[in-house]
Structures are given as structure tokens and as C-alpha cells.
Amino acid sequence: MRSTLIGLGAVNPEAPYYLGMVGMHGTRAANMALHENDLLLVFGARFDDRVTGDPTRFAPNSKIVHFEIDPAQLDRVRPCQLPVIGDLAVTVPVFYEELRRVPDFSSWRAVAWGRERAEPDPGGLAQPTIRLLDELFSRLPRDSVIVADVGQHQMWAAQRYRFASPRGFITSGGLGAMGFALPAALGIQLAKPETTVLCISGDGGFQMNIQELATVRRLGLPLKMVIIDNKYLGMVRQWQQLFYQRNYAETDLSDNPDFVEIAKAYRIHAQRLNDDAMRKHPLAAQASDHLDRFLSSSEPELLVFDCHPEANVYPMVPAGAALSEMLFEEE
Ligand SMILES: Cc1ncc(C[n+]2csc(CCOP(=O)(O)OP(=O)(O)O)c2C)c(N)n1
């Protein structure tokens, strides 16, 4: 089992045979299994290019059964051998008995499960940020909603997300509209006042709808906001680094405003956390208290986290490559 970005939460990550997220920043295990399998059951996914990589080399040996409610999605990117049109709530139970009769494939499972599912590499520049996300997620009630904006922080959050909570991970997937997270998160918090809503943005995307801090304050929403501040339009900078000889054109945000001061101007409590705080094992008591207080406050809170400016998201399938051609930190 694997999940797309938008599907996160629909499958319990602790379920047997769950291999993680697929696609451009998916796990090695999920992508390799997709590349090598000979039968693929697709439930309500649309073969987005961030999932398939080069569509002509996507799952090259696989027959596809496509469970889908929207007939327009069928055969759009990759022809399927068997379309099953309808609401999954209806079609899956009908097929369930049939699906249970799939022949024994335990040897294939052993191969698929033998691969790394816990990327990214713990030694990399992104490690403190990943640690922050792990520490925050481990403190959250299981019914929390995590809202991610668009960019590197979105992919790190998706990679570390470990909840079985449908619609528990909300992000702008298809369009990838920066600035989505803050207004979406405040809408969710308004609809679910008792739920912990954690909004994760980059320093670029947060500034696209930063004025919504006024709405957060006006409505007194207990929203928890995190800015992963790498002082770049990080995802674009990553492509510039890896594929355009470090030509960092128009991605430098080193002249960012002081987000803590901005939040204070909106009368929202804010704090900055240095990435050194996330390097210590176990976490220093002070940093741990910070995170506990941040999440348990009944007021809106902003946490600005200093991320290494050149931290990258790995694994990465370069645009136009096949899923098996992932790049890793060491390469
Ligand atoms: C409105 C909009 N403009 C441009 C883009 C293209 N884009 C995708 S990710 C990204 C950089 C995001 O930077 P930041 O918000 O700082 O997040 P980071 O990648 O550093 O985590 C850009 C410019 C987009 N997705 N949406």
C-alpha cells in the first residue's frame, strides 16, 4: 500500500504493508514498488505528474485497475486495463471478496518491504527541521489537522506525517498555490474550534496571505502557525541548485521581515526557535517546554523556525525521470 500526497491519512501508516508516500518526494520503498509491480490497484488517484514522473516509464510492467468516481480521469495519463467507476464506498466492498483472492505474493512483499521507508537521511542539512516536525507531530492529538503550504516544508511535513486521519493533512496538491495554508487553516479552525490545527508554511508562502493574521486575531482562533524560515523560496532554490548550477535567481529572501515582530504587531504571541535546539538528543528541556507551551496555548501562536538555507528535500525524482531514478542526499 502506498499513498499520494492528497491521500495521506486515508491509509493507516501503521497498517501492514504500508510503504509511504509515492512520487517526486516519495519514499524509496513506495516508488520502487510502484516501478516494479505487475498489478496496480489505484483508488481515486489521477496519475498526476508529481506521482508518475515520466508517464511513459511509469509502472512499466503493470496492469492497472482504476477505481475512480470521475470518468474523465480514466485513461488520461496511462490507460488502465480495468476501470471501476463509482463511489469507493460502493465499489470497494463489491470487489473486496475478489481482492482477497489475489494469489500469494509474499516473496514480492518481502522485496518491497526490504527497502527504506524512513527517508530522508538523518544526517542531512534538513535534519533539524525534520526533527522539529517529528517533535511537533508526536505531541499532537491524533485527530489534529495539519495544513501545509507549498514548497519544501510541505514535502517534509508530508514525509513525516504519521496519522491515520482522513482529511487530517490538508494541502494544495494539484494547483500548488502558495499562500493557501494560512487562510485554509483558519477556516478549518473556525469549523473545528476544539481541534488542534497546525499550519506549516514557508517564509515565502506565509507572506502571500500574511494579512490573515488580522483575521486570526480578530476571531481569537487558537491556531498554531509554524514558519519554516530558510530565507529562500526553498523549493525553487533546490531546483536551481541541483539542475541550474546554483543560479539562485529571484529566490533569495534574506531580507525577510522579522516575522516575530510582525506577529506582535497583530497582537499574536510569537517566538523564534534556532535549529541548534533540534540537534540535541534527547531534546533539551527548554526546547521541549517551548513546544509543549506552543501547542497547549489557548491563544493563536506563531513559531518561526530557522531552517538551514540549503537544506533539500530527498529523495527526489527529477522532473521527467522515472520513479526508479531517485536522487538521494549523498549523490
Ligand atoms: C502562488 C505561487 N507562486 C509560485 C509558485 C511556485 N513555487 C512552488 S514552491 C515555491 C517556493 C516556496 O517557498 P517558501 O514558501 O519559502 O517555502 P519553502 O519551499 O522554502 O519551504 C514556489 C515559488 C507556487 N507554487 N505558487
Side-chain angles (χ1 to χ4, degrees):
M1 270 190 297
R2 292 140 282 199
S3 176
T4 61
L5 172 70
I6 292 298
L8 287 175
V11 176
N12 183 349
E14 269 126 45
Y17 318 124
Y18 182 66
L19 297 174
M21 185 172 76
V22 293
M24 184 170 271
H25 295 293
T27 66
R28 188 192 312 246
N31 281 344
M32 288 310 296
L34 249 186
H35 189 71
E36 292 170 350
N37 55 202
D38 56 14
L39 176 64
L40 188 56
L41 308 178
V42 178
F43 298 97
R46 66 189 176 95
F47 299 96
D48 183 80
D49 71 349
R50 291 297 189 264
V51 164
T52 62
D54 176 357
T56 64
R57 289 186 290 155
F58 172 71
N61 307 314
S62 198
K63 292 197 169 72
I64 295 179
V65 183
H66 196 169
F67 292 76
E68 177 56 59
I69 200 163
D70 175 8
Q73 297 297 344
L74 297 171
D75 300 334
R76 195 175 56 86
V77 175
R78 172 71 189 270
C80 69
Q81 276 64 38
L82 179 59
V84 184
I85 301 169
D87 187 336
L88 291 182
V90 177
T91 56
V92 171
V94 171
F95 273 80
Y96 190 65
E97 281 311 308
E98 212 51 48
L99 294 176
R100 285 162 69 100
R101 280 205 287 274
V102 173
D104 175 56
F105 57 101
S106 44
S107 56
W108 157 246
R109 253 183 209 157
V111 172
W113 258 71
R115 297 198 182 97
E116 190 54 67
R117 294 182 301 279
E119 254 106 25
D121 167 21
L125 295 177
Q127 187 48 30
T129 305
I130 287 162
R131 176 95 188 275
L132 172 79
L133 296 173
D134 285 348
E135 293 285 347
L136 285 170
F137 292 175
S138 68
R139 286 168 167 75
L140 287 176
R142 292 197 76 81
D143 66 343
S144 302
V145 180
I146 293 165
V147 189
D149 207 70
V150 177
Q152 292 179 308
H153 62 282
Q154 174 192 36
M155 291 297 116
W156 286 318
Q159 289 175 335
R160 307 313 290 181
Y161 182 73
R162 288 284 177 277
F163 296 94
S165 172
R167 301 206 173 92
F169 187 84
I170 302 289
T171 193
S172 177
L175 290 173
M178 286 168 68
F180 167 86
L182 180 54
L186 77 83
I188 295 164
Q189 186 73 85
L190 197 57
K192 297 180 156 219
E194 304 304 326
T195 301
T196 306
V197 181
L198 180 67
C199 173
I200 304 171
S201 305
D203 43 321
F206 195 78
Q207 294 186 77
M208 291 196 168
N209 272 316
I210 198 166
Q211 77 286 353
E212 292 303 338
L213 287 174
T215 317
V216 174
R217 176 69 281 167
R218 187 175 305 136
L219 300 175
L221 299 171
L223 191 61
K224 304 294 167 278
M225 296 165 279
V226 178
I227 300 177
I228 304 296
D229 185 7
N230 53 9
K231 302 190 173 51
Y232 274 110
L233 295 170
M235 186 54 94
V236 178
R237 186 209 56 75
Q238 173 167 343
W239 286 50
Q240 292 171 336
Q241 176 188 338
L242 297 179
F243 311 115
Y244 297 94
Q245 298 80 45
R246 279 204 156 82
N247 180 14
Y248 293 170
E250 304 305 327
T251 46
D252 180 354
L253 297 182
S254 54
D255 56 358
N256 267 336
D258 183 333
F259 295 114
V260 172
E261 290 301 319
I262 288 193
K264 283 184 183 157
Y266 282 100
R267 298 184 305 286
I268 289 175
H269 181 253
Q271 56 191 317
R272 183 172 280 277
L273 196 59
N274 188 285
D275 66 351
D276 279 343
M278 288 298 135
R279 288 182 206 279
K280 299 190 182 69
H281 290 274
L283 203 58
Q286 201 192 5
S288 186
D289 287 353
H290 253 79
L291 299 185
D292 288 341
R293 271 204 306 277
F294 170 72
L295 289 176
S296 61
S297 163
S298 56
E299 290 287 307
E301 295 279 340
L302 175 68
L303 177 68
V304 184
F305 183 73
D306 289 321
C307 171
H308 192 290
E310 289 198 316
N312 285 339
V313 186
Y314 291 108
M316 178 176 192
V317 179
L323 288 187
S324 56
E325 296 167 348
M326 284 167 276
L327 302 178
F328 295 93
E329 179 109 57
E330 62 277 9
E331 290 165 6

